[in-house]
C-alpha cells in the first residue's frame, strides 16, 4: 500500500501518492457503475458527470428517477471521507438531496472492496438536522468544517 497520512485538518486519511489516489478513485467509480448497472442497483443507465463540476460523479438513470451519486474511494476499512464545498452544497440542497447518494467504497481496488451507500431520509430528518442513512440502517455522522488556505 502507498504511504497514507492523516489530513492536516484531522479528516479522512489521504495517500501521498497522486497516482495511487487516482487509481483508488477510478476503482471506486467503476465499482459504483457496476453496482448501479446490476439488478441490485436497479439496472440503471450510468453516465459520468465527473468533469462537469455539478457536485457529484455519476448520474444513475432509472425509469422513475435519476440518482446523483457522489463516489469516494478509500484504501482503508472505515467509511470516513471529506466532501468538497461543491459536493457538500449539492448534498444539502433541497433540490438535489432527495436523489443524492453518498457511495463510499472501502478497501477499493482489492478483493475486499465494499460499498457503503447513504441516502437522505426525509422521515427521520428535521428542519434543523438532515439525516442520511445506509441500507443497513447506519446513520451518517456529519461534521461540518470550515477552513482557509493561506499563502505568504
Amino acid at each position: 500500500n502507498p504511504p497514507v497520512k492523516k489530513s492536516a485538518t484531522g479528516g479522512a486519511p489521504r495517500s501521498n501518492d497522486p497516482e495511487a489516489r487516482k487509481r483508488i478513485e477510478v476503482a471506486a467509480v467503476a465499482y459504483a457503475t457496476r453496482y448501479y448497472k446490476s439488478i441490485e442497483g436497479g439496472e440503471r443507465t450510468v453516465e459520468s458527470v465527473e468533469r462537469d463540476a455539478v457536485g457529484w460523479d455519476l448520474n444513475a438513470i432509472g425509469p422513475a428517477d435519476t440518482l446523483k451519486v457522489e463516489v469516494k474511494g478509500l484504501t482503508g476499512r472505515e467509511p470516513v471521507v471529506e466532501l468538497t464545498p461543491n459536493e457538500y452544497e449539492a448534498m444539502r440542497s433541497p433540490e438535489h438531496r432527495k436523489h443524492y447518494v453518498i457511495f463510499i467504497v472501502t478497501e477499493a481496488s482489492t478483493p475486499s472492496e465494499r460499498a457503503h451507500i447513504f441516502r437522505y431520509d426525509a422521515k427521520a430528518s428535521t428542519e434543523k438536522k438532515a439525516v442520511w442513512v445506509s441500507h443497513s440502517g447506519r446513520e451518517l455522522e456529519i461534521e461540518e468544517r470550515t477552513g482557509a488556505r493561506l499563502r505568504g
Side-chain angles (χ1 to χ4, degrees):
N1 277 350
V4 172
K5 69 173 184 173
K6 189 88 167 157
S7 78
T9 58
R14 273 178 70 101
S15 171
N16 291 329
D17 179 352
E19 287 181 22
R21 279 200 310 266
K22 184 64 179 170
R23 188 173 63 249
I24 295 303
E25 179 185 328
V26 167
V29 167
Y31 185 107
T33 299
R34 285 191 310 273
Y35 173 80
Y36 283 110
K37 286 182 174 182
S38 75
I39 292 171
E40 183 183 11
E43 296 182 294
R44 294 170 176 268
T45 300
V46 179
E47 62 183 27
S48 172
V49 291
E50 293 170 274
R51 289 184 170 81
D52 299 342
V54 291
W56 59 91
D57 297 312
L58 302 173
N59 285 330
I61 304 158
D65 63 1
T66 296
L67 299 178
K68 301 165 182 187
V69 184
E70 175 55 32
V71 181
K72 296 292 183 181
L74 302 167
T75 56
R77 291 186 178 150
E78 283 302 308
V80 177
V81 298
E82 293 180 357
L83 298 182
T84 67
N86 189 37
E87 293 161 353
Y88 188 50
E89 184 179 325
M91 173 189 171
R92 293 177 53 218
S93 162
E95 176 188 354
H96 300 302
R97 70 179 168 211
K98 181 178 171 189
H99 299 289
Y100 199 92
V101 178
I102 304 293
F103 195 105
I104 304 169
V105 180
T106 53
E107 298 182 272
S109 194
T110 75
S112 303
E113 66 185 355
R114 181 171 169 232
H116 306 263
I117 305 167
F118 294 89
R119 299 269 321 255
Y120 175 70
D121 185 334
K123 290 179 184 168
S125 296
T126 65
E127 194 173 311
K128 294 185 181 201
K129 183 184 180 202
V131 176
W132 294 74
V133 181
S134 72
H135 289 73
S136 64
R138 186 173 177 177
E139 187 174 327
L140 188 62
E141 293 178 35
I142 301 170
E143 179 185 344
E144 289 189 347
R145 296 172 170 245
T146 58
R149 176 172 290 152
L150 309 176
R151 192 174 311 234

